[in-house]
Amino acid sequence: MAEKVVINEVGLRDGLQIQPKLVTTEGKLELCQALIDSGVRSFEATSFVHPKAVPQMADADALFPRLPKTGGVAYSALVLNDKGYERAMAAGVKSVAIALASTETMNQKNIRMSLDQATTTFAGLMTRAKREGIEARAYISTAMACPYEGKVPVKVVMDLADKMVKAGADKLAIADTIGASSPAQCEEVFRAVVKEWGAARIAAHFHDTRAMGLTLAWVALQEGVREFDSSIGGLGGCPFAPGASGNLATEDLVFMLNDSGFDTGVDVAKLRRAVGVAERLTGQRLGGRITAWWLSQERKAAAKAAQAAE
Ligand code: COA
Ligand code: ZN
């Protein structure tokens, strides 16, 4: 039987947070449904952050309770402080994610906390979630490189991850937030975290800034990782991390995994419609690296249909 790989769709959060055109709650629900129709069963749906800092996420409290209740679909939400955690609980969130950046400057820019303050705050949130029966996901963000401080040593990632696990994190997601990792660095980091905590506890999050997204995912896969974040159409980027362009596109990741014999449960052809929905909602041209191939397939099919009609 094919080995399962979890695709955690982050387009609704990481994907949309940087988009200048506000997407309505209805629009987000439509996109979520299109992804569910394609077989996606895991989502990071929103973030409970300050609405002025990230206007696109201002509807988190209204959106979360309205997400489709399809069986087997799991939703998480990002929280970065107690206030966010409490809003998330009021909205019915059962899985919270925190994002601990690996450097002093990145935490300052993102959440106005020092690295020490952020570590203490997020450890507190992980412990609280664990105590309250909520799934606790810890992202170590800018884990390979920080836009302000450069390359991050693997030891820094290990120390921060260790603190999150000791505080109660069920899952550790290692995030190359600005898409700056080389395959060699990716191998070093994932080999180290998998050795320390086991592959079942690890998830990977990549951006495709330098066209390395799929390669990095393949490297992490070879290290045993079986859970990946990705974003429909390659939407994405962090407003506080200059250089963070789109996330690894869900359609590219799913194509690579399905084509290699893994079971993602996602139908890559059906993702085409979800990309269309995301394009309409954001007013942007989107699409991963397989878009050109999709278009050529469609042209062929159209030519065949025209011939048949003659
Ligand atoms: N949701 C809504 N309001 C919040 C909030 C939250 N999660 N956290 C704080 N606030 C409010 C406080 O209630 C306070 O309001 P008041 O002045 O009316 O009393 C005000 O914001 C300031 O609170 P403070 O604790 O000093 O927060 P801050 O201004 O230092 O902001 C963050 C901290 C983390 C909330 C804010 O920087 C933020 O949301 N940043 C977004 C980061 C992000 O999403 N990055 C991308 C993903 S990693
Ligand atoms: Zn990201």
Side-chain angles (χ1 to χ4, degrees):
M1 234 180 37
E3 218 185 320
K4 285 200 183 319
V5 175
V6 174
I7 304 295
N8 182 42
E9 169 65 40
V10 298
L12 293 167
R13 201 282 297 172
D14 207 7
L16 289 181
Q17 70 179 1
I18 201 171
Q19 288 297 316
K21 182 179 167 199
L22 274 188
V23 176
T24 62
T25 307
E26 298 298 333
K28 291 175 187 177
L29 293 170
E30 184 189 352
L31 181 56
C32 186
Q33 189 60 54
L35 287 155
I36 290 175
D37 294 344
S38 313
V40 177
R41 290 292 175 269
S42 178
F43 292 84
E44 187 176 80
T46 188
S47 60
F48 291 85
V49 296
H50 199 294
K52 282 208 181 109
V54 188
Q56 194 69 259
M57 298 293 119
D59 68 344
D61 315 74
L63 171 74
F64 202 90
R66 293 184 58 199
L67 290 166
K69 307 280 183 300
T70 313
V73 178
Y75 301 103
S76 65
L78 185 72
V79 300
L80 298 174
N81 58 12
D82 281 318
K83 170 112 186 184
Y85 181 93
E86 275 141 28
R87 285 174 57 204
M89 293 306 104
V93 173
K94 297 281 179 272
S95 172
V96 293
I98 59 89
L100 174 59
S102 63
T103 64
E104 189 63 38
T105 319
M106 190 60 216
N107 282 295
Q108 293 282 4
K109 298 273 183 194
N110 195 31
I111 53 174
R112 294 202 265 181
M113 289 184 205
S114 68
L115 177 57
D116 271 355
Q117 281 173 313
T119 307
T120 307
T121 301
F122 292 140
L125 288 171
M126 293 288 89
T127 303
R128 184 173 177 186
K130 194 83 191 155
R131 192 174 60 231
E132 296 177 2
I134 301 296
E135 191 198 19
R137 297 172 64 86
Y139 280 77
I140 307 298
S141 59
T142 56
M144 301 1 190
C146 164
Y148 307 100
E149 296 188 29
K151 190 172 171 182
V152 177
V154 66
K155 183 172 182 325
V156 170
V157 176
M158 296 298 285
D159 286 348
L160 296 175
D162 188 53
K163 287 182 177 136
M164 294 303 108
V165 171
K166 287 196 172 124
D170 299 299
K171 198 80 157 200
L172 273 175
I174 306 298
D176 181 18
T177 308
I178 58 168
S181 182
S182 67
Q185 186 188 9
C186 184
E187 184 180 77
E188 185 192 10
V189 172
F190 280 94
R191 190 160 293 174
V193 293
V194 166
K195 182 163 180 245
E196 186 68 27
W197 293 290
R201 201 194 274 266
I202 309 296
H205 175 111
F206 297 114
H207 285 248
D208 208 17
T209 321
R210 303 182 198 188
M212 284 294 112
L214 277 179
T215 310
L216 300 176
W218 186 257
V219 167
L221 189 80
Q222 295 311 306
E223 295 305 319
V225 176
R226 293 294 180 268
E227 181 173 335
F228 292 86
D229 285 2
S230 61
S231 176
I232 189 69
L235 265 174
C238 173
F240 310 99
S245 73
N247 291 60
L248 171 58
T250 303
E251 58 272 31
D252 288 349
L253 178 65
V254 168
F255 181 83
M256 177 180 82
L257 292 169
N258 289 358
D259 206 38
S260 303
F262 290 91
D263 174 14
T264 61
V266 184
D267 181 335
V268 77
K270 290 189 182 162
L271 286 174
R272 185 92 173 97
R273 192 175 77 78
V275 174
V277 173
E279 285 188 320
R280 173 162 46 76
L281 295 175
T282 60
Q284 293 223 10
R285 278 205 87 92
L286 297 167
R289 287 166 200 285
I290 65 163
T291 309
W293 176 73
W294 263 345
L295 291 173
S296 77
Q297 296 287 100
E298 283 164 13
R299 272 195 300 271
K300 260 192 234 164
K304 222 171 155 185
Q307 230 172 24
E310 267 168 20

